[in-house]
């Protein structure tokens, strides 16, 4: 039994999902003739109460398209220092949009309205880049799966409106936030100009993301997606996986959250653990005691068929997901409980 807790992207389609994919009705999506893609786009737009949505091969491309739509070269966006758009999209912000980032020192990857307000460059001060966009992440990835308070996001939106800025949500794991906080996704639709969501993380689809917005913005996004090479043909097979995932794999995210919290509790009891960060969803970040070698620790777990990842600077990460089942969880719990270093 190999247990991979490196990321929630390691899941494989379930037999039921595969069967649903096989049966998909498909067409050429570049001609907008793939009925399954069209269904998924309508379905996701509806969930958030927004006008339209566009299917993308990756979350990175959906975020990059949003940034391109909301900015002009030379301008600046505001984000947390841990933001995926800054750290993990290959420098695409500058490559694709010619934009710089003003990074804020948030709390576990979350920024607040006051910080945003103070990071906006005055538009008449022409020496500084023009601020045009604010990006937030929910849940936060590098911030350890933390969830925003929707009220704070609404306050940030107010700041954006006051200063004529666009507001983008990187919602790669928005499903986890919605389940953890029992929130109505329509509140998010009202708060943001654009939202990107992933189907290939907690929901367990093999690929797929969507960008959600108003009709006019999605029409423009279609061209940007084409430029980035993201126009795909009979991609309804992949969209079907997303439809299946939305229908069957959202509610169960609560199990991933429970397991991550249980692992956090066990780790917090161990003498060889230095610190365990608060767990709200399916990501658990902890540091081991400085007397223990990180490489040695990872190796020891690997010998017991458990893989977790290092985030550098002594931080380790565990991510629970669809393919991490109860039998595996019992085994990991027992292994960690017995582990003496
Ligand atoms: C995974 C992720 C993305 C998109 O990643 P892709 O691998 O390109 O699909 C975007 N934002 C966050 C916060 C993520 O965790």
């Amino acid at each position: 039994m190999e247990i991979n807790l490196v990321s929630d992207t390691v899941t494989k389609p379930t037999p039921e999902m595969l069967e649903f994919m096989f049966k998909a009705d498909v067409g050429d999506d570049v001609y907008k003739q793939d009925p399954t893609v069209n269904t998924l786009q309508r379905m996701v737009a509806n969930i958030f109460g927004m006008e339209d949505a566009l299917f993308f091969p990756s979350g990175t491309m959906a975020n990059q398209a949003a940034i391109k739509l909301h900015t002009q070269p030379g301008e600046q966006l505001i984000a947390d220092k841990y933001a995926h758009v800054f750290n993990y999209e290959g420098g695409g912000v500058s490559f694709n949009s010619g934009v710089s980032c003003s990074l804020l020192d948030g709390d576990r990857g979350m920024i607040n309205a006051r910080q945003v307000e103070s990071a906006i460059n005055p538009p008449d001060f022409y020496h500084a880049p023009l601020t045009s966009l604010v990006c937030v992440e929910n849940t936060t990835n590098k911030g350890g799966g933390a969830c925003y308070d929707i009220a704070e996001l609404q306050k940030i939106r107010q700041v954006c409106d006051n200063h004529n800025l666009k507001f983008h949500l990187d919602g790669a794991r928005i499903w986890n936030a919605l389940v953890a906080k029992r929130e109505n996704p329509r509140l998010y639709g009202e708060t943001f100009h654009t939202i990107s969501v992933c189907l290939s993380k907690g929901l367990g689809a093999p690929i797929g993301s969507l960008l959600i917005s108003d009709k006019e913005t999605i029409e423009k996004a279609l061209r940007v997606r084409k430029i980035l090479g993201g126009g795909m043909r009979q991609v309804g097979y992949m969209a079907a996986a997303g439809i299946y995932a939305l229908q069957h794999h959202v509610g169960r995210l609560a199990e991933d959250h429970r397991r991550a919290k249980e692992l956090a509790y066990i780790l917090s009891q161990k003498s060889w653990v230095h610190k365990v960060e608060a767990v709200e969803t399916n990501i658990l970040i902890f540091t081991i005691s400085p007397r223990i070698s990180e490489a040695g620790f990872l190796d020891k777990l690997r010998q017991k068929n458990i893989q977790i990842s290092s985030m550098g600077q002594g931080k380790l990460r565990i991510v629970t997901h669809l393919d991490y089942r109860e039998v595996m969880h019992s085994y990991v719990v027992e292994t960690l409980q017995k582990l003496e270093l």
Side-chain angles (χ1 to χ4, degrees):
M1 187 164 61
E2 280 293 328
I3 300 174
N4 189 340
L5 296 169
V6 166
S7 172
D8 46 9
T9 55
V10 301
T11 58
K12 295 176 187 169
T14 61
E16 296 80 12
M17 180 185 278
L18 271 180
E19 201 180 309
F20 193 78
M21 291 166 71
F22 268 124
K23 287 190 199 144
D25 190 7
V26 300
D28 189 338
D29 185 51
V30 171
Y31 290 103
K32 305 184 187 179
Q33 284 173 357
D34 189 302
T36 309
V37 171
N38 293 337
T39 300
L40 173 67
Q41 289 174 167
R42 269 198 309 275
M43 185 174 167
V44 172
N46 240 321
I47 290 172
F48 290 88
M50 295 176 98
E51 286 176 357
D52 210 352
L54 189 65
F55 191 60
F56 279 80
S58 71
T60 297
M61 197 188 281
N63 281 335
Q64 290 299 316
I67 293 164
K68 184 73 195 163
L69 289 166
H70 295 316
T71 61
Q72 292 299 320
E75 293 179 356
Q76 191 164 73
L77 66 80
I78 294 172
D80 182 86
K81 64 182 188 298
Y82 285 166
H84 195 276
V85 296
F86 175 74
N87 289 286
Y88 302 126
E89 299 188 4
V93 165
S94 54
F95 190 96
N96 297 315
S97 300
V99 165
S100 60
C101 297
S102 173
L103 298 176
L104 299 176
D105 187 18
D107 170 28
R108 294 183 300 143
M110 299 182 294
I111 54 180
N112 62 43
R114 186 181 41 76
Q115 288 176 304
V116 169
E117 179 110 49
S118 64
I120 299 168
N121 294 326
D124 54 351
F125 185 68
Y126 60 84
H127 309 275
L130 184 71
T131 308
S132 46
L133 173 65
V134 178
C135 293
V136 295
E137 216 168 284
N138 201 25
T139 71
T140 63
N141 177 341
K142 207 177 172 183
C147 305
Y148 271 91
D149 193 348
I150 186 79
E152 194 60 42
L153 294 173
Q154 288 163 337
K155 275 192 219 163
I156 298 177
R157 172 60 191 255
Q158 193 57 54
V159 171
C160 290
D161 285 350
N162 293 347
H163 295 271
N164 203 20
L165 312 180
K166 291 294 197 295
F167 195 21
H168 172 68
L169 171 64
D170 176 351
R173 293 188 182 78
I174 189 65
W175 317 108
N176 295 83
L178 291 169
V179 167
K181 293 259 193 183
R182 298 170 194 273
E183 284 165 335
N184 182 348
R186 292 187 169 231
L187 285 177
Y188 286 87
E190 286 165 10
T191 306
F192 292 92
H193 294 99
T194 49
I195 299 177
S196 65
V197 301
C198 283
L199 304 167
S200 57
K201 303 259 163 89
L203 298 193
I207 71 162
S209 282
L210 291 104
L211 185 66
I212 319 159
S213 189
D214 57 75
K215 268 215 144 19
E216 197 188 328
T217 304
I218 292 301
E219 233 155 71
K220 289 182 185 152
L222 192 61
R223 180 182 293 273
V224 175
R225 187 184 70 174
K226 184 70 190 177
I227 292 168
L228 296 174
M232 298 177 288
R233 304 293 179 178
Q234 286 72 22
V235 75
Y237 293 114
M238 294 301 154
I243 292 171
Y244 184 89
L246 284 167
Q247 286 169 343
H248 298 93
H249 294 166
V250 178
R252 63 151 307 285
L253 290 170
E255 281 177 44
D256 297 344
H257 302 171
R258 169 180 60 81
R259 290 182 187 129
K261 283 176 189 162
E262 285 171 4
L263 295 177
Y265 175 74
I266 285 153
L267 287 171
S268 71
Q269 307 291 97
K270 304 304 293 187
S271 62
W272 42 266
V273 171
H274 171 64
K275 187 181 173 211
V276 182
E277 293 184 24
V279 174
E280 285 186 70
T281 54
N282 68 327
I283 302 177
L284 157 55
I285 294 174
F286 67 104
T287 44
I288 48 173
S289 150
R291 70 179 167 86
I292 294 160
S293 130
E294 188 184 301
F297 174 70
L298 291 176
D299 213 45
K300 201 153 204 160
L301 285 183
R302 219 171 291 126
Q303 283 163 18
K304 298 184 186 299
N305 298 321
I306 301 168
Q307 282 184 65
I308 69 168
S309 60
S310 163
M311 300 173 73
Q313 296 159 333
K315 281 189 181 177
L316 297 169
R317 188 178 88 157
I318 288 176
V319 187
T320 58
H321 53 75
L322 181 64
D323 288 359
Y324 176 60
R325 305 193 187 272
E326 198 58 32
V327 277
M328 299 177 177
H329 182 56
S330 306
Y331 169 79
V332 174
V333 165
E334 200 180 313
T335 305
L336 290 176
Q337 266 166 345
K338 282 192 203 148
L339 195 63
E340 290 310 332
L341 297 166

